[in-house]
Amino acid sequence: MTLPSIGLNTALAALTNLTGVRLDPYLAFNFLVEIEGILAGSFSECTGLQVETEYHDYREGGLNDYVHRFAGPTKYPPLMLKHGITQIDGLWNWHQEVTQGSIKRKNGTIYLLDRMRIPVMYWNFKEAFPVKYTGPDFRADAAAIAFESVELTHRGLSRPTLGSVLGPAGSAIAGAAGAIGGSFGL
């Protein structure tokens, strides 16, 4: 370990001891999905929280040390939501409306919850609609839950900063981490 990382870790440990806020990683199974105006039930899986900015390489004549990279468009892969089938059919009905030509874009939020099931972080997706529905696989030799999944295309993700989620304690920790990192040139 280098000296700056030891100093940063020590400072963050001292700050969390003073504020009483632990910075343990959150558990991936503890989340909640809300979609504007749709009763969908609980989900067992949510994938596709990605933002990717394409880039273009440009080789300059006579310059062999490196290649210039220029930013291109940003794209948002589809979100995949998966859950056990119940009699709640809001996602199915929404997808059926799309297949009939009635495309109603909806906003939604994916909440990451702490151990007490309180939202601590969230991702907003905007103007989504379902583009794929996958029903369950049936097998007579297995006693498994019947799952369905829906793929949503959308026009972007946003996520709040650490301080806005955790309140004053989070702002203090985020600010102190930035100040400590800056003093070490990180």
Side-chain angles (χ1 to χ4, degrees), residues 29-84:
F29 70 84
N30 216 356
F31 68 97
L32 175 69
V33 179
E34 284 185 347
I35 301 172
E36 173 185 350
I38 292 183
L39 178 61
S42 298
F43 291 91
S44 58
E45 192 174 324
C46 173
T47 58
L49 286 173
Q50 299 174 340
V51 178
E52 182 179 345
T53 301
E54 294 179 358
Y55 62 88
H56 306 283
D57 288 343
Y58 176 77
R59 295 187 180 275
E60 186 175 348
L63 184 62
N64 296 324
D65 296 342
Y66 62 90
V67 174
H68 296 283
R69 288 211 160 138
F70 296 102
T74 298
K75 58 184 181 178
Y76 306 94
L79 294 171
M80 181 68 76
L81 303 174
K82 184 176 181 180
H83 69 155

Side-chain angles (χ1 to χ4, degrees), residues 35 77-81 91 94 125 128-131 150-154:
I35 301 172
L79 294 171
M80 181 68 76
L81 303 174
L91 289 174
W94 186 25
F125 57 91
F129 66 93
V131 293
V150 174
E151 188 173 308
L152 303 176
T153 187
H154 58 93

